[in-house]
Amino acid sequence: MKKLITGGTIATATNVFEADILIEDEKIVRIGVNLSVPDAEVIDATGKYVFPGGVDPHTHLDMPFNNTVTDDDWETGTIAAAFGGTTTILDFCLTSGEKTLADAVKKWHGKAEGKAVIDYGFHLMVTELNDETLAQLPAILEKEGITSLKIFLAYAKEFQATDRTLFQAFRVGKETGAVVMVHCENGSVIDELVEEAKALGHTEPIYHALTRPPELEGEATKRAIELAHIAGAKLYVVHVTCKEAVDEIIRAREKGYEVYGETCPPYLTLDQTALEKPNFEGAKYVWSPPLRPKDHQQPLWNALKAKQLQTIGSDQCSFNFNGKKQLGKDDFSKIPNGGPFIEDRFSVLYSEGVHKGRITINEFVESISTNAAKIFGLFPQKGTIAVGSDADIVIFDPNIEREISAEIHHMNVDYSAFEGMKVMGEPVSVLSRGKYVIKDKQFVGKLGNGKYLKRSVGSDSLKKVNETVVSK
């Protein structure tokens, strides 16, 4: 059935205007003033913003890690994402242990199929590139429509790649047009610092942060930048947390390097003191890279405002406090790394960014949706409100004041990293390809309705974001 959204204020990355939106066959087919469509279902958005659905470029659903598995799978994770205003996610497909890259991707398809309630795609993580995997990569990227590779420079015992593998990945990126995403920390040095701390009897959660200093994030960021430049490849630095990393990204972009940066809501709003909470409560805030001292927040906001950081990912990686985080009760290095953010990404950025005057509403849409769609080959299908685009739409009430709490969130985890935070604004209804997933703050979607998205490697949309962002 046709749907007609009326009375709302449409906000995109470039415009804010009042207009109606006609939806038919999953697409936006018309945008105009005072549209009259007798056979359409009318959705009254008076007094509300109408945003493009959020594109979350960084999630970990149903992912094995730290000898356990994340507590949100593709059902609970995508439902929570939809409640939070996100209609597209890009999740990381791990390749550890599978015989071929195709086996790894097939496994990730199996996790999502029949569960996802919103659309999704994959990034492909690689730990080692030998002759066999190098031969497989171009075909799997083309067949699956994957436009991004993920390399870890952290987690020495689990995922850390060598500099040679990193450089080889950049060369593959150069040849295929794929974006290489890098977790920038020095895992080998971190392991040395962790062992030193434990030898001195330091077991508390705060030592997770103290053994992963910002200088090691800055060092790894610079290393990734220079190797990408030598290879002539595109680099996307995930979850940037600190001034040291931001400074390296800014320097590279000022030289004309094709470097993109992502940060996440907790790094903009929380700080290292959270890990000092008593009774092991600090374990709730253990993720990597760690929270930083508060004076790192403003450089992140400045870089977001200046378009030196382009996207906001959730880095959703949820582990229950009871039973899982407590695995590290006597050893901070055994606390599963990760936190629950997918549901709050959209609202926290709006409230802390737009409502508090740190960024404009257009900059909000850019960082929460449009730039990720452009960088990863989904624009203009996703990331905007335009004729021909998928009807992924969030009707958002900016006047609702509420308090974030684990008691009312929809993630399958027993705590909230933002517990007690007051925010302005809330998604009221969310449509994915023209179908309600959330209607009047109630879940009405259907498991399995989310579609896998094949993306375009080296797409024109990436050239556009490069022209409008990198050149500044």
Side-chain angles (χ1 to χ4, degrees), residues 337-357:
N337 280 215
F341 311 116
I342 201 168
E343 188 166 351
D344 301 310
R345 181 185 74 110
F346 200 99
S347 291
V348 168
L349 186 65
Y350 177 85
S351 185
E352 293 294 311
V354 180
H355 178 70
K356 292 189 176 180

Side-chain angles (χ1 to χ4, degrees), residues 29-293:
V29 297
R30 191 176 173 191
I31 300 172
V33 178
N34 297 324
L35 297 183
S36 178
V37 185
D39 57 341
E41 174 190 353
V42 176
I43 302 170
D44 185 4
T46 301
K48 300 176 179 65
Y49 282 118
V50 181
F51 291 127
V55 178
D56 188 342
H58 193 149
T59 69
H60 302 282
L61 302 180
D62 193 7
M63 185 188 79
F65 186 52
N66 284 133
N67 299 313
T68 184
V69 180
T70 56
D71 281 299
D72 278 295
D73 65 5
W74 284 79
E75 177 180 337
T76 63
T78 58
I79 289 173
F83 269 105
T86 292
T87 55
T88 301
I89 65 168
L90 296 174
D91 199 81
F92 289 90
C93 169
L94 304 189
T95 59
S96 301
E98 283 71 30
K99 292 182 179 179
T100 67
L101 297 178
D103 289 335
V105 176
K106 181 179 179 181
K107 184 177 181 178
W108 240 252
H109 277 301
K111 292 174 181 286
E113 287 171 2
K115 291 184 176 181
V117 303
I118 58 175
D119 293 351
Y120 60 95
F122 300 146
H123 309 296
L124 186 63
M125 187 276 283
V126 291
T127 55
E128 181 182 2
L129 288 174
N130 51 38
D131 290 344
E132 185 177 359
T133 52
L134 282 169
Q136 295 172 29
L137 260 178
I140 198 73
L141 295 179
E142 182 177 0
K143 177 184 177 184
E144 294 291 337
I146 294 174
T147 67
S148 40
L149 300 174
K150 171 71 176 293
I151 299 289
F152 285 92
L153 297 182
Y155 305 122
K157 296 181 180 67
E158 295 92 356
F159 301 136
Q160 183 177 329
T162 64
D163 286 350
R164 181 177 183 177
T165 292
L166 176 62
F167 187 66
Q168 288 174 318
F170 283 134
R171 284 191 157 167
V172 171
K174 171 65 174 176
E175 293 168 4
T176 64
V179 180
V180 180
M181 312 169 73
V182 182
H183 176 141
C184 290
E185 290 185 285
N186 191 316
S188 299
V189 176
I190 287 168
D191 273 8
E192 185 74 11
L193 295 176
V194 167
E195 292 308 313
E196 287 179 2
K198 292 197 295 183
L200 293 170
H202 300 314
T203 62
E204 300 89 346
I206 185 60
Y207 284 94
H208 172 76
L210 297 179
T211 57
R212 307 177 85 101
E215 291 83 359
L216 292 183
E217 184 180 341
E219 179 274 329
T221 301
K222 180 175 176 56
R223 182 160 33 110
I225 286 169
E226 296 303 339
L227 293 179
H229 176 62
I230 293 169
K234 298 182 285 286
L235 168 64
Y236 180 99
V237 183
V238 299
H239 48 45
V240 175
T241 76
C242 62
K243 184 178 186 300
E244 287 80 354
V246 166
D247 287 347
E248 295 296 343
I249 291 170
I250 291 173
R251 275 194 285 267
R253 292 168 61 80
E254 287 175 345
K255 293 178 183 177
Y257 295 5
E258 198 164 352
V259 178
Y260 305 92
E262 163 199 285
T263 192
C264 309
Y267 303 121
L268 294 166
T269 58
L270 305 176
D271 65 69
Q272 185 175 293
T273 58
L275 284 90
E276 298 175 336
K277 290 188 175 185
N279 302 318
F280 199 61
E281 290 284 318
K284 295 177 178 179
Y285 301 89
V286 168
W287 47 76
S288 297
L291 289 173
R292 304 299 186 187

Side-chain angles (χ1 to χ4, degrees), residues 446-466:
K446 183 179 178 182
L447 298 183
N449 267 4
K451 286 186 178 180
Y452 175 72
L453 301 167
K454 289 188 174 183
R455 290 123 64 202
S456 175
V457 175
S459 66
D460 288 340
S461 62
L462 183 55
K463 295 176 185 176
K464 290 174 183 176
V465 77
N466 193 42

